[in-house]
Amino acid sequence: MAGMGVGLVGTGYMGKCHALAWNSVASVFGDVERPRLVGLAEVDTDLARRKAAELGFATSTGNWRDLLDNPEIDVISVTTPNQFHADMAIAALEAGKHVWCEKPMATSLADAERMLAAQRASGKVAVMGYNYIQNPLVRHMADLIGEGAIGDITHVRVEMDEDYMADPAEPFYWKSEAQSGYGALDDFAVHPLSLLSVLVGLPVEVMTAMAKPYADRPARDGGRRAVENHDIANVLMTFEGGLSGVLMANRSAWGRKGRIFVQIYGSNGSILYDQERMNEFQLYDRSGNPANHGFRSVLTSGHHPIYGKFIPAPGHGLGFNDLKIVECRELLSAIAGRPAHVVDFEIGLKIERAVHAMARSHAERRWIQTI
Amino acid sequence: MAGMGVGLVGTGYMGKCHALAWNSVASVFGDVERPRLVGLAEVDTDLARRKAAELGFATSTGNWRDLLDNPEIDVISVTTPNQFHADMAIAALEAGKHVWCEKPMATSLADAERMLAAQRASGKVAVMGYNYIQNPLVRHMADLIGEGAIGDITHVRVEMDEDYMADPAEPFYWKSEAQSGYGALDDFAVHPLSLLSVLVGLPVEVMTAMAKPYADRPARDGGRRAVENHDIANVLMTFEGGLSGVLMANRSAWGRKGRIFVQIYGSNGSILYDQERMNEFQLYDRSGNPANHGFRSVLTSGHHPIYGKFIPAPGHGLGFNDLKIVECRELLSAIAGRPAHVVDFEIGLKIERAVHAMARSHAERRWIQTI
Amino acid sequence: MAGMGVGLVGTGYMGKCHALAWNSVASVFGDVERPRLVGLAEVDTDLARRKAAELGFATSTGNWRDLLDNPEIDVISVTTPNQFHADMAIAALEAGKHVWCEKPMATSLADAERMLAAQRASGKVAVMGYNYIQNPLVRHMADLIGEGAIGDITHVRVEMDEDYMADPAEPFYWKSEAQSGYGALDDFAVHPLSLLSVLVGLPVEVMTAMAKPYADRPARDGGRRAVENHDIANVLMTFEGGLSGVLMANRSAWGRKGRIFVQIYGSNGSILYDQERMNEFQLYDRSGNPANHGFRSVLTSGHHPIYGKFIPAPGHGLGFNDLKIVECRELLSAIAGRPAHVVDFEIGLKIERAVHAMARSHAERRWIQTI
Amino acid sequence: MAGMGVGLVGTGYMGKCHALAWNSVASVFGDVERPRLVGLAEVDTDLARRKAAELGFATSTGNWRDLLDNPEIDVISVTTPNQFHADMAIAALEAGKHVWCEKPMATSLADAERMLAAQRASGKVAVMGYNYIQNPLVRHMADLIGEGAIGDITHVRVEMDEDYMADPAEPFYWKSEAQSGYGALDDFAVHPLSLLSVLVGLPVEVMTAMAKPYADRPARDGGRRAVENHDIANVLMTFEGGLSGVLMANRSAWGRKGRIFVQIYGSNGSILYDQERMNEFQLYDRSGNPANHGFRSVLTSGHHPIYGKFIPAPGHGLGFNDLKIVECRELLSAIAGRPAHVVDFEIGLKIERAVHAMARSHAERRWIQTI
């Protein structure tokens, strides 16, 4: 059987990341047919041609709709700017292609809802690019929680912090425009929410405070321009059954580069995880002699799911791009009708709903239900 | 000149801690007269006598009011259970004694207000036992912030977590009674607030969600008894000028023993501090070559205030009890009319107000002003 | 211009790792022609066929010499067990192919010398698979040292520890046979030596003590069998100019998974690095206010060499396999006659000499010169 | 019964530290009579008077021999410069006083031997000031090892590093003179050796390499002066039964302040400890599910020996000076004829012997037996 025929729209950061995954997935896992990299679409035709050569695609086009018509293509990676996700994903599904779409789903809730509807109507597989959930350690943590290793969950905290907006001297650009989104909330919060979705579920009620560390920024044409959205978002959360949690996001946090710090407390132990050290997690287990109790730093190894497909030796470390290869594999499993560990459009929509509820809570200064 | 005459009420954890401080303060600092440990009061007369011998006090009594009448006594340490703080502190001040009172100030806001009034009327010094602010590193962090080393403060997070209530099999005891207080909020939150008071100030508006990890606990007489207060408290905060922050407290957090984790982000850098590693703090400074930027772990040394009085060599480590010796020194400075780094009853009352506002916010599910 | 034609011998851990690198190098770097994966050799013909499909090679063979005759092949990856390296690498070079050979070079010093001679005679490029030196942070550390950022180097320590031989109940297998090598010394020490070679150079005199944590092990056929080599090796080192250092290797160190801890002290600062946390290094810089001195944890980012080719965002993390992709790129640079950051056969041989001198020092219980 | 009568010779760093311990030991432990601080000796009479007042001693003298004649004095703390230890300790023992002597014992092996002989002849207690062994965690680690918690010990590494000699611009002073000692070896190595003595025993054979990071230093009178001893010492060690180890000491290691890093590997697990974070240790235990194996950071608590005497709450942290209080308590236990956890003159002499053997090994470039 021939491997899946792949189309790719977009050749930025995530486009390259998808391409690397399509290139490597068969070699890493050894149990899927090698995908055929059929066609790449990029607005600029010359760039499209050059990128196709670099990334190993057989053909290129300046018009993404060409991919829809190509019968060789079974699945399309959508890695374009957020405002294009909805139209492209829906068109691909309607053309009978499976879809691998980068996050967030869309720039409006209505679009995200249309995307789920299109997926349902198509019967095709549609998977979101939330690759942090593919970390073998995150999967192991989810297994531990599922098995009750730390008992009933009693409290959850998630922080996501980076510093790319931390410099107040940085001129105003589109990221600070209201139309780009709420700010830290949609830029960041979707990632912690994807992790929560596999670890403890999504919140049912939220109370949000957003903040602007810098009221204005230098305008490119001189003078200053008011910042229109919020680099900081803090959310009190209640989950089903009354579980409490806090979600914090800050894209102006000097020193933080890719921090997603998760604290999960249970009646029998605790789990900590920091995305900046993605090859270790910490487990506190209250059994045994209390004189020896402490958080243990567990390094990824073949004892955790999937890691052994990359490296037989323990503790040698996966990278961010490797998680995308795992995601690609899960997508292929879903397409093959096997159980798959993915954020599909249904869960993806729930994440979007949670984000929009958070934003509304801030605006109305009150608790809002997410569902 | 003879040293201060000292009276001590209470001989529990904090009573011993005060006694150790009174015993050591002259030896450590070398620039204050050696205090005279005059009298110790403890309800049980035998215990009082024994403790006086252990802790180095000349006399003992079963009646704390005896200390008020003793002209040899200049200052009284109040280390009894919280409900006695107000009466004892007020009586001591009215008797013309200086007061060193353990936290929290009182069990009601009204009492705390009376305490401040009594201090003002007396003209005597009254200092609260918030010893975490005495850490040389905390003082250094406050200096750094004051000098603008990390620029304008843009965001603050504080977490205080322990696990002494984490075991759901632990029988119900007074800590879970409503009359003992709100739970994590007053049990813990006063400590982070004392730190905030010296680092960035206190919040002006708060939004709180409290939670019960365990709805009930085994009753000592069999059956189960409903938990009446909250082991978890999470607070969104706004400070003067719009600064945003989050305060989290959890006394059921398995694995946390004395964690007070502070994150302070500024326009020019960041500061991190964890009370469980009280001899180091972390500083991120964005100056210089970005290829070498990172959080630095700074160990306490003689380059920080006061440390050198304890140990000339850097990095050798102070302990929790040492902070109480520093607090004692600051109290003596205040009594001598010199500048002192303390939480006096005025700031102490502000901390109490903040806590009560937080509790009210939870009850009313809305933002509450603290002042 | 067409990309390099690639042959691969061996399909174990390192064979797969090479294949992944050949598959990804063009996509990651975007400035090299996409290699053509021409032929794969593996003793078992069926396995060879299957692996060729998985790893993306066009043809397969059960006889590695077939690769030598294939004019489509420009470069051969040698990833077979150590005892085959010499013959294969030499044959490949003699056949006019470039060689990418896994470490260690050979099982005898004489073989390693023959390999270097063959490379010199051929005029072809021959590169060793010491991928740890390809870490952007290691390259940055080397740059820092070269620029004098930490002053003159005053002391060096390197530890390499794993625990795959730590279980005394593990039955005797070939790793404990004398003919497999000295034990930790050649199994591990070559890695730290490769790092030293790019950071501070190789030692000129060594004094070694090797040890057996377990004198014997369960024999597979019952009874016990004496362990013939040493799981532990400790080496005092002197470098050119009198620089002192220590190298320690232990493959029976419970809890260590892929630790290579490097400490480099200079007259002006220090550098620390731990392979188990390969996306950060620590820098101590004595400039500025000593109250703020401390080791900083620097996360990999686009400010370091090469990282940006993988991921534009800082702190997102590379993995072990990514280092092999960098190595592949450097090999291609060397083939193209551009400056390349590699351990070639000349440096590779120096590393081998150092290892053999270390072993001799242990046997003779005296200092031995490595050159 | 009245408490011990105490005499103190010397009022520097360690004199103050002893005084603090004598002041606090009864308050902390509550089960020893409060010592009477009888007399303090210091060469300068005025300084002696002032220090007696500060440190709480009843009398002072400019002549240390006065303490010998004082019948009120039962025990003498010797905290003067190293060259005076022998004469003072021997005189005190001969005068029928117990002795608490700071490390190292003496500046020559002959003196140390005389000290032990004097102690034996006197029948009095003589204890060395190796306070690191008094850390509750070190005592717990010793207990764990004794109970076989990590199995048979297979390897040991100890590093002791500071940076007070790291600055090459620092002028030559007495620490670099040959007559001050070997350098890092006696300045530092005695501390790790004291730890080894309680954890795994002392080495029986050693191989040392010492090094000078800086050949000369600025002379105070202009020009440069050759450094006469070694800031760096590295030692390969063999223990009884063939156990292997490495000891490293460096007093020119930028960034290290009070590091004593201990790694102890066993057949069943591992223990790590760093004096710079003296309130935690790390334990690796290979039992249970390997997917959850990792080093745990255990914080000091009441589950470890003695800690509860200082603080009831776990994880709140002891300091360096607290260890001296414990040492004082152990001294009092020894005097009372109870089992005591101390380095007495017998073990103290063994440590001295090991240091001198190490120095000789360096000079002769060969393995030397310590006994």
Side-chain angles (χ1 to χ4, degrees), chain B residues 276 278-279 318-319, chain D residues 135 137 273-281 298-301 307 315-319:
Chain B
E276 283 183 357
M278 60 174 272
N279 288 291
L318 299 187
Chain D
N135 187 334
L137 287 183
Y273 172 76
D274 182 352
Q275 182 64 34
E276 284 183 358
R277 287 179 171 166
M278 59 173 275
N279 287 290
E280 60 194 81
F281 84 106
V298 182
L299 290 169
T300 330
S301 74
Y307 174 90
H316 280 53
L318 300 186

PDB file of all heavy atoms in Angstrom, chain B residues 276 278-279 318-319, chain D residues 135 137 273-281 298-301 307 315-319:
ATOM      1  N   GLU B 276      11.636  27.853  50.149  1.00  0.00           N
ATOM      2  CA  GLU B 276      12.224  26.536  50.445  1.00  0.00           C
ATOM      3  C   GLU B 276      13.723  26.504  50.136  1.00  0.00           C
ATOM      4  O   GLU B 276      14.420  25.597  50.570  1.00  0.00           O
ATOM      5  CB  GLU B 276      11.498  25.429  49.674  1.00  0.00           C
ATOM      6  CG  GLU B 276      10.154  25.074  50.291  1.00  0.00           C
ATOM      7  CD  GLU B 276       9.450  23.927  49.570  1.00  0.00           C
ATOM      8  OE1 GLU B 276       9.977  23.430  48.559  1.00  0.00           O
ATOM      9  OE2 GLU B 276       8.351  23.550  50.021  1.00  0.00           O
ATOM     10  N   MET B 278      15.826  29.357  50.740  1.00  0.00           N
ATOM     11  CA  MET B 278      15.859  30.738  51.204  1.00  0.00           C
ATOM     12  C   MET B 278      17.228  31.396  51.114  1.00  0.00           C
ATOM     13  O   MET B 278      17.345  32.588  51.322  1.00  0.00           O
ATOM     14  CB  MET B 278      15.336  30.832  52.635  1.00  0.00           C
ATOM     15  CG  MET B 278      16.137  30.026  53.634  1.00  0.00           C
ATOM     16  SD  MET B 278      15.584  30.323  55.350  1.00  0.00           S
ATOM     17  CE  MET B 278      16.588  31.734  55.793  1.00  0.00           C
ATOM     18  N   ASN B 279      18.265  30.620  50.782  1.00  0.00           N
ATOM     19  CA  ASN B 279      19.593  31.196  50.659  1.00  0.00           C
ATOM     20  C   ASN B 279      19.987  31.507  49.217  1.00  0.00           C
ATOM     21  O   ASN B 279      21.163  31.698  48.921  1.00  0.00           O
ATOM     22  CB  ASN B 279      20.626  30.280  51.327  1.00  0.00           C
ATOM     23  CG  ASN B 279      20.495  30.330  52.840  1.00  0.00           C
ATOM     24  OD1 ASN B 279      20.808  31.344  53.443  1.00  0.00           O
ATOM     25  ND2 ASN B 279      19.975  29.268  53.443  1.00  0.00           N
ATOM     26  N   LEU B 318      21.906  30.782  55.912  1.00  0.00           N
ATOM     27  CA  LEU B 318      21.166  31.096  57.131  1.00  0.00           C
ATOM     28  C   LEU B 318      19.997  30.132  57.257  1.00  0.00           C
ATOM     29  O   LEU B 318      19.602  29.486  56.292  1.00  0.00           O
ATOM     30  CB  LEU B 318      20.625  32.529  57.070  1.00  0.00           C
ATOM     31  CG  LEU B 318      21.658  33.644  56.940  1.00  0.00           C
ATOM     32  CD1 LEU B 318      20.975  35.000  57.067  1.00  0.00           C
ATOM     33  CD2 LEU B 318      22.746  33.504  58.006  1.00  0.00           C
ATOM     34  N   GLY B 319      19.421  30.073  58.444  1.00  0.00           N
ATOM     35  CA  GLY B 319      18.254  29.247  58.674  1.00  0.00           C
ATOM     36  C   GLY B 319      17.050  30.088  59.070  1.00  0.00           C
ATOM     37  O   GLY B 319      17.165  31.302  59.306  1.00  0.00           O
TER      38      GLY B 319
ATOM     39  N   ASN D 135      24.720  18.089  60.161  1.00  0.00           N
ATOM     40  CA  ASN D 135      23.492  18.349  59.409  1.00  0.00           C
ATOM     41  C   ASN D 135      22.548  17.149  59.545  1.00  0.00           C
ATOM     42  O   ASN D 135      22.947  16.012  59.274  1.00  0.00           O
ATOM     43  CB  ASN D 135      23.866  18.564  57.937  1.00  0.00           C
ATOM     44  CG  ASN D 135      22.692  19.018  57.096  1.00  0.00           C
ATOM     45  OD1 ASN D 135      21.540  18.728  57.427  1.00  0.00           O
ATOM     46  ND2 ASN D 135      22.980  19.707  56.007  1.00  0.00           N
ATOM     47  N   LEU D 137      20.464  16.060  57.647  1.00  0.00           N
ATOM     48  CA  LEU D 137      20.401  15.281  56.409  1.00  0.00           C
ATOM     49  C   LEU D 137      21.631  14.415  56.241  1.00  0.00           C
ATOM     50  O   LEU D 137      21.536  13.292  55.735  1.00  0.00           O
ATOM     51  CB  LEU D 137      20.252  16.215  55.205  1.00  0.00           C
ATOM     52  CG  LEU D 137      18.870  16.849  55.080  1.00  0.00           C
ATOM     53  CD1 LEU D 137      18.805  17.704  53.823  1.00  0.00           C
ATOM     54  CD2 LEU D 137      17.784  15.776  55.041  1.00  0.00           C
ATOM     55  N   TYR D 273      24.328  15.134  47.529  1.00  0.00           N
ATOM     56  CA  TYR D 273      24.175  16.186  48.535  1.00  0.00           C
ATOM     57  C   TYR D 273      25.073  17.352  48.160  1.00  0.00           C
ATOM     58  O   TYR D 273      26.216  17.152  47.765  1.00  0.00           O
ATOM     59  CB  TYR D 273      24.569  15.655  49.918  1.00  0.00           C
ATOM     60  CG  TYR D 273      24.623  16.727  50.972  1.00  0.00           C
ATOM     61  CD1 TYR D 273      23.450  17.248  51.510  1.00  0.00           C
ATOM     62  CD2 TYR D 273      25.837  17.246  51.407  1.00  0.00           C
ATOM     63  CE1 TYR D 273      23.495  18.260  52.471  1.00  0.00           C
ATOM     64  CE2 TYR D 273      25.887  18.247  52.369  1.00  0.00           C
ATOM     65  CZ  TYR D 273      24.714  18.745  52.888  1.00  0.00           C
ATOM     66  OH  TYR D 273      24.755  19.749  53.829  1.00  0.00           O
ATOM     67  N   ASP D 274      24.538  18.563  48.290  1.00  0.00           N
ATOM     68  CA  ASP D 274      25.341  19.760  48.012  1.00  0.00           C
ATOM     69  C   ASP D 274      25.223  20.711  49.193  1.00  0.00           C
ATOM     70  O   ASP D 274      24.144  21.169  49.536  1.00  0.00           O
ATOM     71  CB  ASP D 274      24.821  20.436  46.735  1.00  0.00           C
ATOM     72  CG  ASP D 274      25.653  21.657  46.355  1.00  0.00           C
ATOM     73  OD1 ASP D 274      26.525  22.063  47.141  1.00  0.00           O
ATOM     74  OD2 ASP D 274      25.424  22.191  45.267  1.00  0.00           O
ATOM     75  N   GLN D 275      26.359  21.005  49.815  1.00  0.00           N
ATOM     76  CA  GLN D 275      26.363  21.860  51.003  1.00  0.00           C
ATOM     77  C   GLN D 275      25.764  23.242  50.726  1.00  0.00           C
ATOM     78  O   GLN D 275      25.226  23.870  51.633  1.00  0.00           O
ATOM     79  CB  GLN D 275      27.794  21.984  51.531  1.00  0.00           C
ATOM     80  CG  GLN D 275      27.957  22.801  52.786  1.00  0.00           C
ATOM     81  CD  GLN D 275      27.261  22.191  53.987  1.00  0.00           C
ATOM     82  OE1 GLN D 275      27.188  20.974  54.121  1.00  0.00           O
ATOM     83  NE2 GLN D 275      26.708  23.032  54.848  1.00  0.00           N
ATOM     84  N   GLU D 276      25.826  23.714  49.474  1.00  0.00           N
ATOM     85  CA  GLU D 276      25.238  25.028  49.169  1.00  0.00           C
ATOM     86  C   GLU D 276      23.712  24.994  49.264  1.00  0.00           C
ATOM     87  O   GLU D 276      23.068  26.043  49.305  1.00  0.00           O
ATOM     88  CB  GLU D 276      25.675  25.513  47.786  1.00  0.00           C
ATOM     89  CG  GLU D 276      27.111  26.033  47.784  1.00  0.00           C
ATOM     90  CD  GLU D 276      27.541  26.575  46.425  1.00  0.00           C
ATOM     91  OE1 GLU D 276      26.746  26.516  45.463  1.00  0.00           O
ATOM     92  OE2 GLU D 276      28.689  27.037  46.325  1.00  0.00           O
ATOM     93  N   ARG D 277      23.142  23.822  49.216  1.00  0.00           N
ATOM     94  CA  ARG D 277      21.706  23.648  49.466  1.00  0.00           C
ATOM     95  C   ARG D 277      21.549  22.629  50.588  1.00  0.00           C
ATOM     96  O   ARG D 277      21.066  21.522  50.383  1.00  0.00           O
ATOM     97  CB  ARG D 277      20.992  23.177  48.200  1.00  0.00           C
ATOM     98  CG  ARG D 277      20.855  24.268  47.174  1.00  0.00           C
ATOM     99  CD  ARG D 277      20.161  23.780  45.920  1.00  0.00           C
ATOM    100  NE  ARG D 277      19.853  24.897  45.034  1.00  0.00           N
ATOM    101  CZ  ARG D 277      19.483  24.758  43.758  1.00  0.00           C
ATOM    102  NH1 ARG D 277      19.361  23.546  43.229  1.00  0.00           N
ATOM    103  NH2 ARG D 277      19.218  25.814  43.027  1.00  0.00           N
ATOM    104  N   MET D 278      22.013  23.041  51.755  1.00  0.00           N
ATOM    105  CA  MET D 278      22.193  22.107  52.866  1.00  0.00           C
ATOM    106  C   MET D 278      20.882  21.605  53.454  1.00  0.00           C
ATOM    107  O   MET D 278      20.899  20.705  54.281  1.00  0.00           O
ATOM    108  CB  MET D 278      23.045  22.745  53.962  1.00  0.00           C
ATOM    109  CG  MET D 278      22.467  24.007  54.529  1.00  0.00           C
ATOM    110  SD  MET D 278      23.407  24.625  55.968  1.00  0.00           S
ATOM    111  CE  MET D 278      22.637  23.673  57.293  1.00  0.00           C
ATOM    112  N   ASN D 279      19.748  22.147  53.015  1.00  0.00           N
ATOM    113  CA  ASN D 279      18.477  21.688  53.538  1.00  0.00           C
ATOM    114  C   ASN D 279      17.776  20.698  52.626  1.00  0.00           C
ATOM    115  O   ASN D 279      16.573  20.470  52.765  1.00  0.00           O
ATOM    116  CB  ASN D 279      17.580  22.888  53.857  1.00  0.00           C
ATOM    117  CG  ASN D 279      18.073  23.615  55.098  1.00  0.00           C
ATOM    118  OD1 ASN D 279      17.978  23.097  56.194  1.00  0.00           O
ATOM    119  ND2 ASN D 279      18.648  24.807  54.915  1.00  0.00           N
ATOM    120  N   GLU D 280      18.505  20.152  51.687  1.00  0.00           N
ATOM    121  CA  GLU D 280      17.925  19.105  50.852  1.00  0.00           C
ATOM    122  C   GLU D 280      19.003  18.113  50.448  1.00  0.00           C
ATOM    123  O   GLU D 280      20.185  18.433  50.394  1.00  0.00           O
ATOM    124  CB  GLU D 280      17.253  19.705  49.614  1.00  0.00           C
ATOM    125  CG  GLU D 280      18.153  20.489  48.695  1.00  0.00           C
ATOM    126  CD  GLU D 280      17.378  21.335  47.690  1.00  0.00           C
ATOM    127  OE1 GLU D 280      16.933  22.435  48.075  1.00  0.00           O
ATOM    128  OE2 GLU D 280      17.217  20.907  46.548  1.00  0.00           O
ATOM    129  N   PHE D 281      18.576  16.882  50.195  1.00  0.00           N
ATOM    130  CA  PHE D 281      19.497  15.923  49.597  1.00  0.00           C
ATOM    131  C   PHE D 281      18.707  15.170  48.554  1.00  0.00           C
ATOM    132  O   PHE D 281      17.479  15.298  48.465  1.00  0.00           O
ATOM    133  CB  PHE D 281      20.104  14.980  50.655  1.00  0.00           C
ATOM    134  CG  PHE D 281      19.254  13.804  51.005  1.00  0.00           C
ATOM    135  CD1 PHE D 281      19.565  12.510  50.569  1.00  0.00           C
ATOM    136  CD2 PHE D 281      18.119  13.961  51.790  1.00  0.00           C
ATOM    137  CE1 PHE D 281      18.776  11.416  50.912  1.00  0.00           C
ATOM    138  CE2 PHE D 281      17.315  12.876  52.135  1.00  0.00           C
ATOM    139  CZ  PHE D 281      17.648  11.603  51.693  1.00  0.00           C
ATOM    140  N   VAL D 298      14.770  15.749  48.712  1.00  0.00           N
ATOM    141  CA  VAL D 298      14.129  15.619  50.013  1.00  0.00           C
ATOM    142  C   VAL D 298      14.515  16.828  50.861  1.00  0.00           C
ATOM    143  O   VAL D 298      15.698  17.116  51.039  1.00  0.00           O
ATOM    144  CB  VAL D 298      14.582  14.318  50.708  1.00  0.00           C
ATOM    145  CG1 VAL D 298      13.882  14.161  52.044  1.00  0.00           C
ATOM    146  CG2 VAL D 298      14.344  13.118  49.797  1.00  0.00           C
ATOM    147  N   LEU D 299      13.519  17.538  51.353  1.00  0.00           N
ATOM    148  CA  LEU D 299      13.766  18.680  52.232  1.00  0.00           C
ATOM    149  C   LEU D 299      13.850  18.214  53.683  1.00  0.00           C
ATOM    150  O   LEU D 299      13.117  17.313  54.099  1.00  0.00           O
ATOM    151  CB  LEU D 299      12.626  19.694  52.104  1.00  0.00           C
ATOM    152  CG  LEU D 299      12.546  20.450  50.778  1.00  0.00           C
ATOM    153  CD1 LEU D 299      11.233  21.222  50.680  1.00  0.00           C
ATOM    154  CD2 LEU D 299      13.720  21.398  50.630  1.00  0.00           C
ATOM    155  N   THR D 300      14.719  18.855  54.445  1.00  0.00           N
ATOM    156  CA  THR D 300      14.849  18.503  55.866  1.00  0.00           C
ATOM    157  C   THR D 300      13.522  18.688  56.578  1.00  0.00           C
ATOM    158  O   THR D 300      12.794  19.633  56.313  1.00  0.00           O
ATOM    159  CB  THR D 300      15.855  19.419  56.599  1.00  0.00           C
ATOM    160  OG1 THR D 300      16.837  19.835  55.684  1.00  0.00           O
ATOM    161  CG2 THR D 300      16.468  18.703  57.766  1.00  0.00           C
ATOM    162  N   SER D 301      13.276  17.816  57.528  1.00  0.00           N
ATOM    163  CA  SER D 301      12.035  17.895  58.294  1.00  0.00           C
ATOM    164  C   SER D 301      12.211  17.156  59.604  1.00  0.00           C
ATOM    165  O   SER D 301      13.271  16.593  59.888  1.00  0.00           O
ATOM    166  CB  SER D 301      10.892  17.262  57.506  1.00  0.00           C
ATOM    167  OG  SER D 301      11.023  15.848  57.530  1.00  0.00           O
ATOM    168  N   TYR D 307      16.382  17.881  63.589  1.00  0.00           N
ATOM    169  CA  TYR D 307      15.759  19.064  62.994  1.00  0.00           C
ATOM    170  C   TYR D 307      14.588  19.586  63.831  1.00  0.00           C
ATOM    171  O   TYR D 307      14.432  20.785  64.039  1.00  0.00           O
ATOM    172  CB  TYR D 307      15.289  18.728  61.575  1.00  0.00           C
ATOM    173  CG  TYR D 307      14.496  19.831  60.905  1.00  0.00           C
ATOM    174  CD1 TYR D 307      15.136  20.802  60.139  1.00  0.00           C
ATOM    175  CD2 TYR D 307      13.107  19.898  61.008  1.00  0.00           C
ATOM    176  CE1 TYR D 307      14.423  21.809  59.512  1.00  0.00           C
ATOM    177  CE2 TYR D 307      12.382  20.906  60.388  1.00  0.00           C
ATOM    178  CZ  TYR D 307      13.038  21.855  59.643  1.00  0.00           C
ATOM    179  OH  TYR D 307      12.320  22.849  59.025  1.00  0.00           O
ATOM    180  N   GLY D 315      10.813  21.676  56.131  1.00  0.00           N
ATOM    181  CA  GLY D 315      11.218  22.485  54.982  1.00  0.00           C
ATOM    182  C   GLY D 315      11.474  23.952  55.271  1.00  0.00           C
ATOM    183  O   GLY D 315      11.538  24.760  54.345  1.00  0.00           O
ATOM    184  N   HIS D 316      11.621  24.315  56.519  1.00  0.00           N
ATOM    185  CA  HIS D 316      11.811  25.724  56.837  1.00  0.00           C
ATOM    186  C   HIS D 316      13.289  26.109  56.941  1.00  0.00           C
ATOM    187  O   HIS D 316      13.600  27.289  56.991  1.00  0.00           O
ATOM    188  CB  HIS D 316      11.065  26.078  58.128  1.00  0.00           C
ATOM    189  CG  HIS D 316       9.606  26.300  57.895  1.00  0.00           C
ATOM    190  ND1 HIS D 316       8.806  25.382  57.256  1.00  0.00           N
ATOM    191  CD2 HIS D 316       8.778  27.346  58.192  1.00  0.00           C
ATOM    192  CE1 HIS D 316       7.570  25.849  57.181  1.00  0.00           C
ATOM    193  NE2 HIS D 316       7.533  27.034  57.738  1.00  0.00           N
ATOM    194  N   GLY D 317      14.160  25.134  57.007  1.00  0.00           N
ATOM    195  CA  GLY D 317      15.557  25.435  56.811  1.00  0.00           C
ATOM    196  C   GLY D 317      16.398  25.737  58.030  1.00  0.00           C
ATOM    197  O   GLY D 317      16.116  26.657  58.782  1.00  0.00           O
ATOM    198  N   LEU D 318      17.463  24.948  58.188  1.00  0.00           N
ATOM    199  CA  LEU D 318      18.500  25.264  59.161  1.00  0.00           C
ATOM    200  C   LEU D 318      19.607  26.062  58.482  1.00  0.00           C
ATOM    201  O   LEU D 318      19.714  26.073  57.262  1.00  0.00           O
ATOM    202  CB  LEU D 318      19.105  23.977  59.740  1.00  0.00           C
ATOM    203  CG  LEU D 318      18.156  23.045  60.473  1.00  0.00           C
ATOM    204  CD1 LEU D 318      18.933  21.906  61.118  1.00  0.00           C
ATOM    205  CD2 LEU D 318      17.341  23.796  61.515  1.00  0.00           C
ATOM    206  N   GLY D 319      20.443  26.706  59.292  1.00  0.00           N
ATOM    207  CA  GLY D 319      21.576  27.447  58.759  1.00  0.00           C
ATOM    208  C   GLY D 319      22.892  26.864  59.240  1.00  0.00           C
ATOM    209  O   GLY D 319      22.922  25.972  60.107  1.00  0.00           O
TER     210      GLY D 319
END
